[in-house]
Amino acid sequence: MPSKSGLEIQSQYRSAAIHSTVGIVGAGSIGCFLGAILAQDKSLSVQFFGREALGLELAAYGLSAAFPGGNASAIAPAFYTSMVSLIDCDVILLTVKATSLPHLIPQLKKFIRPDVPVIALQNGIGVDTMLSASLNNPVYRAVVPFNVVKTGPGHFQQTSAGQLLWPQSNDNRLSYLAAIFRQHGSGVQLCADMRAVEYGKLLLNLNNALNALSGLPLKQQLLQQDIRLVLAAAMQEWLMVCKTLQIKPQAMTALPNELLPWLLRLPTWLFRVLARQMLLIDEAARSSMWDDIQAGRRTEVMYLNGAVVRLGIETGVPTPVNSAIVELVKHLEQGEAIHLSPQQLRQQLLASA
Ligand SMILES: NC(=O)c1ccc[n+]([C@@H]2O[C@H](COP(=O)([O-])OP(=O)(O)OC[C@H]3O[C@@H](n4cnc5c(N)ncnc54)[C@H](OP(=O)(O)O)[C@@H]3O)[C@@H](O)[C@H]2O)c1
């Protein structure tokens, strides 16, 4: 039975939901997880757009999602491998990786009706600019501050804490989806300044590339002071770019952003104590950029550390550490094996700083 506030929200936005169809473009970890939650609302029709192999898997096993304090499932989700049915959608959640967007945009342009809001959930900077330059649709940003992993056939699991960061908007369709996430999911936080959120998330995502370069699981990597020194320097560059742009990135941890480089530079024995919360991660977890390299895929590095370099050039802030990280990741993307110890990584990446 929905709570009173849930009922109020539902009636307030019901007009936005009647016969509404939500398109999840990029049925992968994030798309399937969020789509499973939205599918709990009987007045929404949720359609997934993705690869054939996953479509067959969902047809056989159904779709399920688990998050702290709950779960959601859909027995026979509507799944399409062609984008033609996008024409039926009244709101789009775009959940492909940022690297897939350039190929996808012409199809979005062809099939999405121009009044339909498009909500981009990628990590990194520059995605909304790219979409707005190509589509006539209203484009919004949302940010996922937690991790989602596919842990079994058709099953997607939230593996770290956090609430979906969703744009505050006058558009009833967005407000209705937020109410559904709040009612059926692990929570949602409405944000007036999504740019600050996007820039704050990037600060943490600067570690993805270092994780891929180190070849270590995330927890082991964080316990290497040499690599933490590089991460601290990369963060410092981004914070300086933000300061020059007069943007205050939203803090994503209990610590103010400015203190994160200080924390990372501490000796490991002290870091272990003060960063206990940060180290509560699965022993085997690695960044998705590591996964991308192992699978021979292009990474999102140009939207992450690459965005720091690009905005550094625009603002006149030197970003030698992020620049060196991008260059090494590009070598990895070319299939080159990079066997550098944490100490060698520090020497190489901080050499020009
Ligand atoms: N997973 C997380 O925990 C997490 C957390 C926070 C933010 N994010 C961000 O969320 C975004 C999505 O990440 P994800 O982990 O969900 O990625 P993902 O699991 O790779 O999902 C994206 C899916 O979209 C598919 N796709 C791409 N182009 C397509 C096309 N033209 N037609 C049909 N399907 C297409 C991909 O297939 P192919 O692989 O075959 O291209 C893939 O199955 C990324 O920007 C990521 O950084 C992820």
Side-chain angles (χ1 to χ4, degrees):
M1 173 110 174
S3 64
K4 186 162 179 268
S5 60
L7 284 171
E8 279 169 1
I9 291 166
Q10 273 192 329
S11 67
Q12 186 179 355
Y13 299 117
R14 183 158 303 285
S15 62
I18 291 172
H19 310 307
S20 280
T21 300
V22 182
I24 306 282
V25 181
S29 298
I30 295 299
C32 288
F33 178 82
L34 297 178
I37 295 170
L38 292 177
Q40 304 312 296
D41 186 69
K42 299 303 165 224
S43 53
L44 286 180
S45 154
V46 182
Q47 300 189 342
F48 294 85
F49 296 82
R51 303 296 186 198
E52 187 178 10
L54 189 72
L56 292 172
E57 186 178 315
L58 298 190
Y61 295 93
L63 167 65
S64 57
F67 39 86
N71 50 65
S73 59
I75 293 167
F79 197 100
Y80 301 93
T81 52
S82 145
M83 297 289 158
V84 178
S85 295
L86 279 176
I87 196 119
D88 295 330
C89 294
D90 304 301
V91 52
I92 301 288
L93 265 60
L94 200 48
T95 55
V96 293
K97 293 219 163 125
T99 42
S100 301
L101 283 175
H103 284 109
L104 191 60
I105 284 174
Q107 298 207 59
L108 300 180
K109 202 170 170 177
K110 194 164 165 189
F111 296 117
I112 301 179
R113 301 193 313 268
D115 59 304
V116 168
V118 174
I119 304 141
L121 288 115
Q122 289 65 34
N123 275 335
I125 308 284
V127 166
D128 51 349
T129 314
M130 188 189 349
L131 288 167
S132 297
S134 314
L135 305 176
N136 294 320
N137 303 68
V139 173
Y140 297 89
R141 283 291 270 136
V143 166
V144 180
F146 48 80
N147 292 325
V148 175
V149 178
K150 183 169 179 284
T151 52
H155 186 69
F156 296 84
Q157 174 108 30
Q158 179 178 339
T159 56
S160 62
Q163 296 191 329
L164 181 63
L165 302 169
W166 193 253
Q168 203 163 45
S169 152
N170 294 328
D171 188 322
N172 277 355
R173 294 165 291 189
L174 268 70
S175 311
Y176 188 82
L177 296 189
I180 300 307
F181 285 128
R182 180 167 296 134
Q183 198 183 337
H184 295 281
S186 64
V188 67
Q189 189 185 324
L190 294 182
C191 305
D193 185 358
M194 283 309 299
R195 172 134 306 175
V197 174
E198 186 186 44
Y199 280 39
K201 180 77 194 297
L202 176 59
L203 191 66
L204 301 190
N205 286 144
L206 293 179
N207 189 46
N208 295 9
L210 287 174
N211 182 251
L213 289 169
S214 76
L216 297 169
L218 273 166
K219 187 167 176 178
Q220 282 184 43
Q221 181 227 316
L222 282 170
L223 289 172
Q224 296 290 333
Q225 193 188 21
D226 286 302
I227 306 182
R228 290 201 309 278
L229 292 174
V230 181
L231 178 57
M235 284 184 167
Q236 204 98 57
E237 289 180 358
W238 178 229
L239 288 172
M240 185 51 75
V241 170
C242 291
K243 193 171 175 190
T244 311
L245 288 168
Q246 298 185 324
I247 293 174
K248 192 170 162 41
Q250 182 164 314
M252 297 278 156
T253 69
L255 215 59
N257 286 333
E258 293 67 28
L259 288 185
L260 279 176
W262 165 82
L263 177 73
L264 291 164
R265 289 187 175 115
L266 293 174
T268 300
W269 67 267
L270 189 53
F271 178 77
R272 264 184 198 277
V273 177
L274 297 182
R276 248 192 334 263
Q277 204 63 31
M278 197 185 279
L279 292 169
L280 288 179
I281 32 180
D282 189 295
E283 297 285 341
R286 297 175 189 255
S287 75
S288 59
M289 198 177 289
W290 184 85
D291 292 335
D292 287 339
I293 294 294
Q294 302 311 305
R297 288 190 293 256
R298 269 185 63 214
T299 72
E300 291 183 306
V301 73
M302 292 315 293
Y303 298 86
L304 303 174
N305 310 72
V308 178
V309 176
R310 182 170 50 78
L311 288 169
I313 292 168
E314 281 178 23
T315 52
V317 174
T319 58
V321 177
N322 282 288
S323 206
I325 292 172
V326 170
E327 192 170 324
L328 267 192
V329 172
K330 287 284 157 201
H331 283 285
L332 279 185
E333 285 182 356
Q334 298 306 312
E336 288 178 33
I338 292 179
H339 300 294
L340 294 173
S341 68
Q343 189 188 14
Q344 288 168 323
L345 267 180
R346 173 174 61 79
Q347 283 164 349
Q348 184 156 339
L349 293 170
L350 294 186
S352 48

Tab-separated table of all heavy atoms in Angstrom, residues 322-347:
chain	number	residue	atom	x	y	z
A	322	ASN	N	46.087	14.501	-15.707
A	322	ASN	CA	44.973	13.892	-16.440
A	322	ASN	C	45.352	13.633	-17.895
A	322	ASN	O	44.932	12.635	-18.487
A	322	ASN	CB	43.721	14.775	-16.332
A	322	ASN	CG	43.038	14.595	-14.993
A	322	ASN	OD1	42.426	13.564	-14.725
A	322	ASN	ND2	43.175	15.588	-14.118
A	323	SER	N	46.168	14.525	-18.445
A	323	SER	CA	46.621	14.352	-19.824
A	323	SER	C	47.455	13.066	-19.949
A	323	SER	O	47.250	12.268	-20.877
A	323	SER	CB	47.480	15.569	-20.159
A	323	SER	OG	47.479	15.797	-21.479
A	324	ALA	N	48.356	12.857	-18.994
A	324	ALA	CA	49.208	11.653	-19.034
A	324	ALA	C	48.364	10.396	-18.818
A	324	ALA	O	48.621	9.353	-19.432
A	324	ALA	CB	50.292	11.760	-17.962
A	325	ILE	N	47.328	10.491	-17.977
A	325	ILE	CA	46.444	9.332	-17.744
A	325	ILE	C	45.706	8.976	-19.039
A	325	ILE	O	45.642	7.819	-19.442
A	325	ILE	CB	45.432	9.640	-16.601
A	325	ILE	CG1	46.162	9.749	-15.258
A	325	ILE	CG2	44.343	8.575	-16.540
A	325	ILE	CD1	45.302	10.235	-14.089
A	326	VAL	N	45.173	10.005	-19.707
A	326	VAL	CA	44.441	9.755	-20.967
A	326	VAL	C	45.363	9.050	-21.968
A	326	VAL	O	44.980	8.073	-22.616
A	326	VAL	CB	43.916	11.083	-21.573
A	326	VAL	CG1	43.376	10.857	-22.981
A	326	VAL	CG2	42.820	11.676	-20.678
A	327	GLU	N	46.597	9.551	-22.044
A	327	GLU	CA	47.516	8.972	-23.036
A	327	GLU	C	47.773	7.491	-22.750
A	327	GLU	O	47.733	6.661	-23.667
A	327	GLU	CB	48.831	9.756	-23.028
A	327	GLU	CG	49.677	9.372	-24.214
A	327	GLU	CD	50.870	10.284	-24.385
A	327	GLU	OE1	50.740	11.495	-24.121
A	327	GLU	OE2	51.923	9.760	-24.769
A	328	LEU	N	47.992	7.160	-21.488
A	328	LEU	CA	48.248	5.743	-21.151
A	328	LEU	C	47.021	4.880	-21.435
A	328	LEU	O	47.146	3.757	-21.930
A	328	LEU	CB	48.635	5.609	-19.686
A	328	LEU	CG	50.125	5.643	-19.324
A	328	LEU	CD1	50.322	5.198	-17.878
A	328	LEU	CD2	50.968	4.761	-20.248
A	329	VAL	N	45.824	5.405	-21.110
A	329	VAL	CA	44.609	4.615	-21.368
A	329	VAL	C	44.438	4.402	-22.878
A	329	VAL	O	44.011	3.332	-23.331
A	329	VAL	CB	43.350	5.285	-20.759
A	329	VAL	CG1	42.074	4.579	-21.198
A	329	VAL	CG2	43.429	5.289	-19.233
A	330	LYS	N	44.793	5.393	-23.655
A	330	LYS	CA	44.685	5.243	-25.120
A	330	LYS	C	45.591	4.102	-25.596
A	330	LYS	O	45.236	3.355	-26.513
A	330	LYS	CB	45.069	6.557	-25.819
A	330	LYS	CG	43.997	7.638	-25.672
A	330	LYS	CD	42.840	7.342	-26.608
A	330	LYS	CE	41.555	7.978	-26.154
A	330	LYS	NZ	40.363	7.368	-26.712
A	331	HIS	N	46.785	3.964	-24.966
A	331	HIS	CA	47.663	2.837	-25.308
A	331	HIS	C	46.983	1.513	-24.953
A	331	HIS	O	47.024	0.558	-25.736
A	331	HIS	CB	49.004	2.945	-24.567
A	331	HIS	CG	49.920	3.974	-25.181
A	331	HIS	ND1	50.588	3.748	-26.355
A	331	HIS	CD2	50.254	5.219	-24.780
A	331	HIS	CE1	51.299	4.825	-26.669
A	331	HIS	NE2	51.115	5.735	-25.723
A	332	LEU	N	46.343	1.479	-23.778
A	332	LEU	CA	45.625	0.252	-23.382
A	332	LEU	C	44.530	-0.078	-24.393
A	332	LEU	O	44.329	-1.230	-24.766
A	332	LEU	CB	44.961	0.430	-22.012
A	332	LEU	CG	45.777	0.257	-20.737
A	332	LEU	CD1	44.860	0.375	-19.522
A	332	LEU	CD2	46.487	-1.083	-20.702
A	333	GLU	N	43.800	0.973	-24.822
A	333	GLU	CA	42.702	0.749	-25.790
A	333	GLU	C	43.227	0.165	-27.103
A	333	GLU	O	42.516	-0.535	-27.805
A	333	GLU	CB	41.970	2.068	-26.082
A	333	GLU	CG	41.049	2.527	-24.963
A	333	GLU	CD	40.299	3.815	-25.319
A	333	GLU	OE1	40.541	4.394	-26.394
A	333	GLU	OE2	39.474	4.245	-24.491
A	334	GLN	N	44.497	0.506	-27.415
A	334	GLN	CA	45.089	-0.039	-28.649
A	334	GLN	C	45.556	-1.478	-28.467
A	334	GLN	O	46.142	-2.068	-29.358
A	334	GLN	CB	46.309	0.805	-29.078
A	334	GLN	CG	46.020	2.266	-29.425
A	334	GLN	CD	44.938	2.397	-30.476
A	334	GLN	OE1	44.981	1.723	-31.492
A	334	GLN	NE2	43.950	3.253	-30.221
A	335	GLY	N	45.355	-2.012	-27.273
A	335	GLY	CA	45.725	-3.408	-27.020
A	335	GLY	C	47.135	-3.572	-26.485
A	335	GLY	O	47.619	-4.694	-26.339
A	336	GLU	N	47.809	-2.456	-26.207
A	336	GLU	CA	49.172	-2.574	-25.654
A	336	GLU	C	49.091	-3.015	-24.202
A	336	GLU	O	48.239	-2.541	-23.448
A	336	GLU	CB	49.889	-1.216	-25.705
A	336	GLU	CG	50.282	-0.811	-27.102
A	336	GLU	CD	50.943	0.564	-27.121
A	336	GLU	OE1	51.641	0.905	-26.136
A	336	GLU	OE2	50.739	1.282	-28.101
A	337	ALA	N	49.996	-3.907	-23.814
A	337	ALA	CA	50.031	-4.330	-22.406
A	337	ALA	C	50.879	-3.317	-21.642
A	337	ALA	O	51.960	-2.934	-22.096
A	337	ALA	CB	50.637	-5.711	-22.306
A	338	ILE	N	50.336	-2.842	-20.520
A	338	ILE	CA	51.112	-1.896	-19.711
A	338	ILE	C	51.337	-2.539	-18.349
A	338	ILE	O	50.395	-2.760	-17.605
A	338	ILE	CB	50.365	-0.555	-19.566
A	338	ILE	CG1	50.319	0.137	-20.928
A	338	ILE	CG2	51.017	0.345	-18.522
A	338	ILE	CD1	49.605	1.452	-20.930
A	339	HIS	N	52.595	-2.885	-18.085
A	339	HIS	CA	52.889	-3.517	-16.800
A	339	HIS	C	53.705	-2.546	-15.971
A	339	HIS	O	54.932	-2.577	-15.997
A	339	HIS	CB	53.669	-4.821	-17.010
A	339	HIS	CG	52.921	-5.823	-17.829
A	339	HIS	ND1	51.752	-6.414	-17.398
A	339	HIS	CD2	53.145	-6.313	-19.071
A	339	HIS	CE1	51.307	-7.236	-18.331
A	339	HIS	NE2	52.130	-7.181	-19.364
A	340	LEU	N	53.020	-1.638	-15.291
A	340	LEU	CA	53.734	-0.674	-14.451
A	340	LEU	C	53.339	-0.911	-12.997
A	340	LEU	O	52.151	-1.058	-12.684
A	340	LEU	CB	53.376	0.756	-14.855
A	340	LEU	CG	53.814	1.207	-16.252
A	340	LEU	CD1	53.240	2.587	-16.566
A	340	LEU	CD2	55.324	1.238	-16.368
A	341	SER	N	54.337	-0.946	-12.129
A	341	SER	CA	54.050	-1.090	-10.702
A	341	SER	C	53.439	0.222	-10.220
A	341	SER	O	53.549	1.256	-10.903
A	341	SER	CB	55.345	-1.370	-9.942
A	341	SER	OG	56.160	-0.210	-9.999
A	342	PRO	N	52.791	0.240	-9.044
A	342	PRO	CA	52.266	1.493	-8.520
A	342	PRO	C	53.331	2.597	-8.479
A	342	PRO	O	53.057	3.739	-8.842
A	342	PRO	CB	51.794	1.106	-7.116
A	342	PRO	CG	51.386	-0.328	-7.244
A	342	PRO	CD	52.376	-0.919	-8.204
A	343	GLN	N	54.550	2.216	-8.105
A	343	GLN	CA	55.621	3.219	-8.026
A	343	GLN	C	55.965	3.749	-9.426
A	343	GLN	O	56.126	4.959	-9.628
A	343	GLN	CB	56.838	2.583	-7.374
A	343	GLN	CG	57.920	3.582	-7.047
A	343	GLN	CD	59.212	2.924	-6.574
A	343	GLN	OE1	59.393	1.714	-6.725
A	343	GLN	NE2	60.089	3.712	-6.009
A	344	GLN	N	56.040	2.846	-10.401
A	344	GLN	CA	56.337	3.276	-11.782
A	344	GLN	C	55.205	4.151	-12.335
A	344	GLN	O	55.447	5.124	-13.048
A	344	GLN	CB	56.549	2.053	-12.671
A	344	GLN	CG	57.852	1.344	-12.399
A	344	GLN	CD	57.904	-0.018	-13.089
A	344	GLN	OE1	56.902	-0.732	-13.172
A	344	GLN	NE2	59.086	-0.382	-13.583
A	345	LEU	N	53.959	3.776	-11.991
A	345	LEU	CA	52.821	4.594	-12.444
A	345	LEU	C	52.948	6.014	-11.898
A	345	LEU	O	52.752	6.992	-12.609
A	345	LEU	CB	51.497	3.993	-11.964
A	345	LEU	CG	50.755	3.034	-12.878
A	345	LEU	CD1	49.472	2.548	-12.212
A	345	LEU	CD2	50.414	3.676	-14.224
A	346	ARG	N	53.274	6.109	-10.601
A	346	ARG	CA	53.418	7.446	-9.991
A	346	ARG	C	54.526	8.222	-10.695
A	346	ARG	O	54.339	9.387	-11.067
A	346	ARG	CB	53.721	7.326	-8.495
A	346	ARG	CG	54.047	8.667	-7.844
A	346	ARG	CD	54.205	8.580	-6.348
A	346	ARG	NE	55.280	7.716	-5.903
A	346	ARG	CZ	56.573	8.038	-5.890
A	346	ARG	NH1	56.975	9.206	-6.319
A	346	ARG	NH2	57.472	7.169	-5.470
A	347	GLN	N	55.688	7.544	-10.882
A	347	GLN	CA	56.821	8.252	-11.507
A	347	GLN	C	56.445	8.751	-12.895
A	347	GLN	O	56.722	9.883	-13.263
A	347	GLN	CB	58.040	7.330	-11.581
A	347	GLN	CG	58.725	7.192	-10.229
A	347	GLN	CD	59.686	6.009	-10.161
A	347	GLN	OE1	59.705	5.159	-11.058
A	347	GLN	NE2	60.461	5.943	-9.085
